[in-house]
Amino acid sequence: MAADKGIRLSALNPKFLHTNSTSHTWPFSAFAELIDNAYDPDVNAKHIWIDQTAIKNNICLTFADDGNGMTLDKLYKMLSFGFSDKHEVKGHHPIGLYGNGFKSGSMWLGKDAIVFTKNKSGMHVGMLSQSYLEKINAQHVLVPIISFNEQRQLVQTPDSEANLQAITTYSLLNSEPELLAELDAITGPKGTRIIIWNLRRDTSGETEFDFETDEYDIRIPAETDGMNENYRMQERVNQTAPDCDFSLRAYCKILYLKPRMQIILRGQKVQTQLVAKNLAYTEKDVYKPKCLPSLIIKITFGYNCRNKEHYGIMMYHKNRLIKAYKRVGCQLQANNMGVGVVGVVECNFLKPIHNKQDFDDTKVYRLTLAALGTKLNDYWIEMKAKKRSDPLSRPVEDIQKTPDQKWVQCDDCLKWRKLPDGVAVSKKDTWSCKFNTDPRFRDCSVPEEPEDDDITQCTYEKTQKGRNCSVTEEPGAPDDDDIPHSSNGKTSKRRNSKQLQQVTPNKRRPPSERYFCLNDFQLFQETGMSKSYIPPLSNENTPTKQKPIGSETSALLQGSGDDDDDVIIIEDKGTSSSSVAPENKNYELHVKREENGGYDCNGIAQREMGTPQEAHDQESSKHTTDQEKESLKKYCGELFVKVKGLEEKVSDLENKYEQACKEINRLKECKVLQNLKEEPGTETQKPAEKNSNVDDMSLQLNGSSTEHD
């Protein structure tokens, strides 16, 4: 192909249409590309209709919007590759970046697509078809395009007839009237309509989409491995799949951070929602990327009100969802930490990849995930700390919750209005600003309520900051084995070598060796031992009189300073000058850090550590209320009573076990004697007196057997 000054142009083989479509690894990402095109400011559609229909016995997908439509030149660029001249309009940021979305999305959904568009410039039709290119053995991508004038007549150009013939021959619409009928289906004076056919099919010949399960939805078929489970994305193999993984309706609900366009899926409006305002117990935090020190990223944290198993970070870019339920921080651990917590953040400083389902894996992105994990941990710890005051209460994630705020979108102006508590709106009914109970926002001409864009710091106090999640987790808290260690076996936190005698290696110990038991705590409570004293591990050889720990250990506990270590483990072996334990006896002291610089041994007794003067000053610490202490003492007392009860039950079972063993041995002896009696010739060899004894024991054996039966 010749070009300027004889330099050849790069050619594009038709096979690239399929190759390009493989960038989508998830069906709904292809749908999202076509929805984005209607949302972008150059089209600025208020509504988009997505439906499934049949044309001449061919199952088709249709997309129609009431946007600005396209001119002939713009339609040509849409059917070509790499043309993207979208720009921001009145604060409305475009989502399209690469000029590739329509081609990759439509060619993933089906092999062929035809586009109808109209506006003041006229009515235009264009076709992008793999089937057409295959049948004519094309070596380059050809896109037939025709135009009609206001009189509904074909605009004559040197190649108009050839383009018309290609469209009517290789599409589902084989005449001009059929083409005009589809243009008439665009009800307004401007808009666009797309028809996709030859839909993608699996190896069995079925379409990749489920149109039967829900007549108002398009779903990804359930797994066919016999489990009949809902489809889930590859990254959620061991997680509960949220509805947005397999339901297009559920995905469209959260597709935009602040929806500005209504989506009508198979004849029914999608109830879009403000994700950040649809959470319970919401709090806000901020993140300042080091690469952009002047930028403040606002993060909203809260609990999912619908399903606690759907949790993680919702990451948006220019109002468009990129990553849904991305787990970070403590949510990545194999426990129940972070369950139910959802974070919402708009990361406009990151760059999405071409299919808009992930971000470029750069250093900035990795640092952002790490920061989000830290922020989420802080929120989780604070929420759990609030519940610790009542040990018998249910976890936050298990409580039935409702969103902190209720918002509804006007069907006329598409503005979002906040509703007062107690006002319910039916999902099937339309809602308009004139129905608003707040007179200030009862007119569509009134702007929306202002957003809290002036937030520059966290909206809640982080009283537990610096503590590890495992310290505050009550049920199923991880062992000291879960603390990160370096290759030399020491904890990764920096410690003062003069204070630390020995850091225990990362090895598992029996539960009895990890923490002192309830008896020690009871002694601590009854004797009123000073807070600067810590009882050693319970040991049968340990003297009943508890003595203070050694000077070096005291220095370690007092010298914590600003160190944020979550767990301090001390192991002293051999003779100790402080006489904490008898000579040649080992002891270990495991201390978990509690709020405000204190420590919690086995999550039961909390003590403040510091210099002698600090210990005296902290007797009336304002950070620990009397109510919390009384609640903790009462809870520990209840645990002690339960343990004693369990010990009595164990002792009773042991006695019963010993009696059962004796009975079994006695029955065995009787069985042996009975066998001797039944042997031939036994009577002649034994005296009659002994035979009588055998008979008696046999009768006893039979009686015992009858009782057990």
Side-chain angles (χ1 to χ4, degrees):
M1 223 181 190
D4 188 27
K5 298 181 181 179
I7 300 176
R8 290 175 177 267
L9 291 174
S10 176
L12 190 65
N13 192 279
K15 293 181 181 179
F16 180 74
L17 292 176
H18 171 71
T19 303
N20 183 53
S21 70
T22 58
S23 62
H24 296 285
T25 58
W26 180 50
F28 293 160
S29 67
F31 277 94
E33 292 286 4
L34 291 117
I35 299 174
D36 291 341
N37 286 344
Y39 169 86
D40 278 343
D42 58 330
V43 176
N44 198 30
K46 301 302 181 185
H47 303 83
I48 182 172
W49 293 265
I50 305 173
D51 210 341
Q52 173 260 334
T53 188
I55 300 177
K56 298 178 181 179
N57 297 324
N58 288 275
I59 300 176
C60 305
L61 287 172
T62 62
F63 298 79
D65 66 64
D66 57 357
N68 296 326
M70 291 178 283
T71 63
L72 182 64
D73 181 64
K74 192 170 183 180
L75 175 60
Y76 171 71
K77 290 182 177 180
M78 175 187 174
L79 298 175
S80 302
F81 290 86
F83 292 94
S84 180
D85 54 358
K86 299 179 181 181
H87 55 277
E88 178 184 349
V89 177
K90 296 180 181 180
H92 186 174
H93 295 277
I95 298 173
L97 296 173
Y98 307 108
N100 188 48
F102 171 76
K103 278 75 63 177
S104 64
S106 62
M107 294 296 100
W108 194 98
L109 297 174
K111 293 186 66 175
D112 311 295
I114 188 168
V115 182
F116 302 87
T117 185
K118 66 179 182 180
N119 56 17
K120 294 180 179 179
S121 67
M123 300 182 292
H124 315 286
V125 182
M127 185 175 70
L128 182 65
S129 172
Q130 297 182 59
S131 300
Y132 159 63
L133 297 174
E134 290 173 1
K135 290 178 181 178
I136 66 172
N137 295 319
Q139 298 301 311
H140 306 281
V141 177
L142 305 177
V143 286
I145 300 176
I146 58 175
S147 299
F148 293 92
N149 56 27
E150 295 179 356
Q151 290 74 35
R152 303 168 63 86
Q153 299 294 322
L154 181 67
V155 176
Q156 296 295 328
T157 61
D159 54 3
S160 60
E161 291 296 335
N163 283 270
L164 176 62
Q165 183 179 0
I167 292 175
T168 56
T169 302
Y170 296 100
S171 74
L172 297 178
L173 308 169
N174 307 123
S175 64
E176 285 189 41
E178 292 181 3
L179 297 175
L180 290 170
E182 293 297 334
L183 286 167
D184 293 338
I186 304 174
T187 55
K190 55 185 180 180
T192 301
R193 178 176 172 82
I194 302 171
I195 300 176
I196 301 174
W197 71 98
N198 280 336
L199 300 184
R200 190 184 186 98
R201 297 180 180 271
D202 57 24
T203 54
S204 63
E206 299 295 330
T207 62
E208 292 277 357
F209 313 106
D210 177 9
F211 300 110
E212 305 298 331
T213 301
D214 188 342
E215 61 178 331
Y216 298 112
D217 196 4
I218 298 176
R219 296 188 168 218
I220 301 175
E223 298 290 346
T224 58
D225 56 359
M227 302 296 292
N228 197 26
E229 295 181 350
N230 291 323
Y231 172 87
R232 69 184 71 195
M233 300 179 70
Q234 294 180 358
E235 62 190 48
R236 281 191 263 271
V237 175
N238 297 320
Q239 303 174 14
T240 301
D243 294 348
C244 61
D245 274 14
F246 57 85
S247 169
L248 181 60
R249 179 171 293 275
Y251 179 59
C252 289
K253 286 182 180 180
I254 60 175
L255 182 58
Y256 298 107
L257 180 61
K258 192 165 189 178
R260 295 296 186 190
M261 177 179 67
Q262 286 191 348
I263 303 173
I264 296 89
L265 179 58
R266 303 191 71 182
Q268 189 177 89
K269 182 179 70 173
V270 174
Q271 298 294 332
T272 53
Q273 55 185 298
L274 298 174
V275 180
K277 300 182 185 298
N278 205 42
L279 304 173
Y281 308 112
T282 55
E283 296 290 354
K284 296 184 184 296
D285 207 335
V286 295
Y287 166 55
K288 299 178 181 179
K290 292 184 179 180
C291 59
L292 299 168
S294 60
L295 185 63
I296 299 178
I297 308 300
K298 290 175 283 294
I299 313 167
T300 302
F301 289 110
Y303 277 84
N304 192 329
C305 299
R306 297 179 180 273
N307 191 331
K308 72 173 186 177
E309 296 299 329
H310 303 161
Y311 56 91
I313 301 295
M314 309 293 287
M315 303 182 71
Y316 289 82
H317 180 269
K318 295 182 179 179
N319 202 45
R320 160 74 140 79
L321 178 65
I322 304 298
K323 295 288 290 183
Y325 301 109
K326 174 68 175 178
R327 297 188 181 181
V328 297
C330 61
Q331 294 177 335
L332 296 173
Q333 302 178 16
N335 50 33
N336 292 325
M337 297 164 62
V339 171
V341 177
V342 174
V344 183
V345 60
E346 188 173 22
C347 307
N348 293 341
F349 63 97
L350 299 177
K351 191 174 182 180
I353 60 177
H354 52 287
N355 65 7
K356 301 184 185 70
Q357 294 301 306
D358 206 343
F359 292 98
D360 275 344
D361 189 10
T362 61
K363 181 180 179 180
V364 176
Y365 174 60
R366 293 190 292 271
L367 290 174
T368 301
L369 290 182
L372 290 173
T374 301
K375 303 290 184 182
L376 187 142
N377 291 351
D378 293 341
Y379 172 81
W380 168 259
I381 293 173
E382 292 298 328
M383 295 304 298
K384 298 299 287 186
K386 291 179 181 179
K387 301 297 292 182
R388 281 208 311 273
S389 59
D390 184 6
L392 302 180
S393 64
R394 297 172 61 192
V396 183
E397 59 271 19
D398 292 336
I399 300 174
Q400 184 67 32
K401 298 174 285 292
T402 57
D404 293 344
Q405 302 176 3
K406 183 181 295 184
W407 291 74
V408 63
Q409 188 177 30
C410 175
D411 291 316
D412 298 329
C413 64
L414 301 183
K415 293 185 177 70
W416 287 88
R417 304 299 190 189
K418 183 180 179 180
L419 299 179
D421 294 339
V423 177
V425 177
S426 175
K427 295 181 179 180
K428 296 183 179 180
D429 296 339
T430 58
W431 191 91
S432 178
C433 292
K434 62 184 179 182
F435 301 138
N436 200 337
T437 56
D438 189 343
R440 298 174 300 168
F441 302 97
R442 199 173 285 169
D443 195 301
C444 290
S445 61
V446 179
E448 293 178 342
E449 295 185 44
E451 296 284 345
D452 46 4
D453 294 330
D454 56 343
I455 293 179
T456 58
Q457 59 184 3
C458 184
T459 59
Y460 66 99
E461 183 180 3
K462 298 183 180 181
T463 59
Q464 312 293 315
K465 186 173 178 59
R467 296 177 56 199
N468 187 285
C469 288
S470 61
V471 179
T472 61
E473 178 67 9
E474 290 128 8
D479 300 331
D480 47 354
D481 301 348
D482 297 326
I483 305 170
H485 288 70
S486 60
S487 59
N488 59 2
K490 297 185 178 181
T491 55
S492 59
K493 296 281 187 178
R494 291 177 304 206
R495 306 180 187 274
N496 190 330
S497 59
K498 294 182 179 181
Q499 295 175 343
L500 184 60
Q501 293 180 353
Q502 181 178 356
V503 178
T504 56
N506 184 17
K507 62 182 180 180
R508 181 168 297 279
R509 305 173 182 82
S512 60
E513 296 181 6
R514 292 186 193 146
Y515 308 134
F516 62 92
C517 67
L518 285 171
N519 290 332
D520 295 310
F521 171 71
Q522 185 184 29
L523 179 64
F524 169 86
Q525 189 177 27
E526 293 175 353
T527 58
M529 190 181 297
S530 171
K531 290 184 178 181
S532 61
Y533 286 61
I534 304 293
L537 285 175
S538 179
N539 190 305
E540 60 182 3
N541 296 325
T542 303
T544 56
K545 181 178 179 181
Q546 305 295 328
K547 296 184 179 182
I549 59 179
S551 58
E552 294 183 4
T553 307
S554 300
L556 169 63
L557 297 176
Q558 295 171 1
S560 59
D562 297 329
D563 192 2
D564 288 336
D565 294 349
D566 300 313
V567 178
I568 298 177
I569 304 173
I570 308 168
E571 183 174 3
D572 190 3
K573 298 188 176 182
T575 305
S576 173
S577 59
S578 59
S579 301
V580 174
E583 192 172 6
N584 297 328
K585 296 293 182 181
N586 299 335
Y587 76 92
E588 296 174 340
L589 174 61
H590 297 255
V591 184
K592 288 188 176 182
R593 185 164 187 167
E594 285 293 336
E595 61 240 25
N596 310 321
Y599 293 83
D600 175 22
C601 295
N602 199 24
I604 298 177
Q606 181 175 349
R607 288 166 280 274
E608 301 291 339
M609 295 300 171
T611 62
Q613 182 62 32
E614 291 174 346
H616 177 74
D617 294 340
Q618 292 178 359
E619 288 292 337
S620 58
S621 175
K622 61 181 179 180
H623 300 294
T624 306
T625 65
D626 294 338
Q627 183 178 3
E628 292 174 340
K629 292 180 180 179
E630 291 299 327
S631 176
L632 188 59
K633 289 179 181 179
K634 180 180 178 181
Y635 183 56
C636 293
E638 293 175 353
L639 290 179
F640 180 73
V641 172
K642 290 181 180 180
V643 170
K644 283 296 184 183
L646 292 174
E647 289 178 352
E648 292 176 358
K649 290 182 179 180
V650 171
S651 178
D652 185 47
L653 290 174
E654 289 178 349
N655 293 334
K656 291 182 178 180
Y657 176 76
E658 292 178 357
Q659 294 176 3
C661 290
K662 292 179 180 179
E663 182 68 15
I664 291 172
N665 292 332
R666 191 181 72 83
L667 292 175
K668 288 181 178 179
E669 293 177 357
C670 293
K671 186 68 175 177
V672 171
L673 294 175
Q674 185 179 19
N675 293 337
L676 291 174
K677 175 185 175 182
E678 295 175 352
E679 288 181 3
T682 303
E683 288 188 13
T684 58
Q685 297 176 7
K686 294 185 179 286
E689 189 176 334
K690 291 186 179 180
N691 289 339
S692 176
N693 292 335
V694 172
D695 292 339
D696 292 340
M697 295 190 72
S698 298
L699 291 174
Q700 292 180 10
L701 175 61
N702 294 333
S704 300
S705 301
T706 304
E707 290 179 2
H708 285 283
D709 292 340

